[in-house]
Amino acid sequence: MIIGNENILLWIGVGVGLVFALLIIYFYLKDAENTKRSKRYEKSIEDLNKEIYRLQKKLKTYESDLEGFKQSIKQQIYQDTRLEMKNLIDTNLHSQVMPLRSQIERLNEEYKQYKEEVEGKVFTLEDRIKEFAYTPTNPSNIDEGRIISMFKDGWSVDSIAKELRIGKGEVEFTLKFANLD
């Protein structure tokens, strides 16, 4: 039985070796399958990373396009608002300021006319005051020849009176006396 035990031991050793070999083959095949699976997962992960990169790049492009669009919209709104405000100002200017401007111009014209009237009245008053205020000390001081020559040269009675600082009545009297009036 020693021989039989040796055969059994041999068969057990061969069986264990065979099981061990089968286990190694099994583990090798499983490892190869796991390696293939890992490579597929790695490739899938790499493809996903590439796709994520492309999507991030597209997202940045879309974000920059969106920002440009926002700026364009802001600028359009600004221009529209500016145009609307300009139109509103123009409308208010024509409806409110223009009547005031025409009224100011009318008042300015009235002021000029009033000023001319007042100046004329002042000159008239000055002439009358001179007539009453100036009395020559000597009636022979009036230069009748000069009055006559100035009148012949085209001077008016008022101008002669002012120039010679005598009353208007005296000039008229001298001219009547010379039969020039």
Side-chain angles (χ1 to χ4, degrees):
M1 290 230 236
I2 296 186
I3 296 182
N5 275 341
E6 281 179 15
N7 268 344
I8 290 178
L9 283 176
L10 180 67
W11 281 108
I12 289 177
V14 168
V16 168
L18 188 60
V19 167
F20 189 65
L22 285 174
L23 278 175
I24 290 177
I25 291 172
Y26 174 76
F27 284 130
Y28 177 75
L29 290 175
K30 278 293 186 183
D31 186 48
E33 187 179 315
N34 285 339
T35 302
K36 282 182 185 178
R37 221 180 261 156
S38 293
K39 284 184 181 180
R40 276 188 291 177
Y41 288 147
E42 286 176 5
K43 184 165 178 21
S44 295
I45 290 171
E46 187 176 322
D47 289 344
L48 285 173
N49 282 335
K50 286 180 183 179
E51 187 64 26
I52 288 171
Y53 176 75
R54 276 184 260 149
L55 289 174
Q56 285 175 339
K57 197 172 180 180
K58 270 187 177 180
L59 182 63
K60 285 181 183 178
T61 304
Y62 290 151
E63 285 175 348
S64 66
D65 290 347
L66 180 63
E67 190 62 35
F69 182 70
K70 283 180 184 178
Q71 291 298 330
S72 170
I73 293 295
K74 283 180 183 178
Q75 188 173 9
Q76 185 65 39
I77 289 171
Y78 171 75
Q79 287 175 350
D80 290 348
T81 304
R82 187 171 164 246
L83 182 62
E84 188 175 323
M85 288 184 74
K86 182 184 178 294
N87 289 339
L88 184 63
I89 288 171
D90 286 345
T91 302
N92 285 338
L93 179 72
H94 288 296
S95 67
Q96 295 175 358
V97 175
M98 288 305 205
L100 289 176
R101 183 177 178 194
S102 63
Q103 190 174 13
I104 288 172
E105 289 174 356
R106 184 181 52 79
L107 288 174
N108 196 16
E109 288 298 319
E110 288 177 10
Y111 170 75
K112 285 180 183 177
Q113 290 174 354
Y114 179 74
K115 183 179 174 184
E116 289 173 1
E117 288 176 15
V118 168
E119 285 177 353
K121 288 179 181 179
V122 167
F123 287 135
T124 305
L125 285 174
E126 284 178 353
D127 288 343
R128 287 190 180 171
I129 289 172
K130 284 180 185 177
E131 284 179 16
F132 292 116
Y134 181 75
T135 54
T137 55
N138 187 355
S140 62
N141 278 349
I142 300 172
D143 189 5
E144 296 175 359
R146 189 164 177 207
I147 291 173
I148 294 170
S149 69
M150 287 174 77
F151 185 75
K152 286 182 179 179
D153 289 340
W155 287 61
S156 70
V157 173
D158 291 336
S159 302
I160 295 171
K162 281 183 184 178
E163 180 69 24
L164 298 177
R165 294 185 181 160
I166 58 175
K168 191 172 149 184
E170 291 179 46
V171 174
E172 290 174 347
F173 177 76
T174 305
L175 291 175
K176 277 187 182 181
F177 189 74
N179 290 327
L180 293 177
D181 191 44

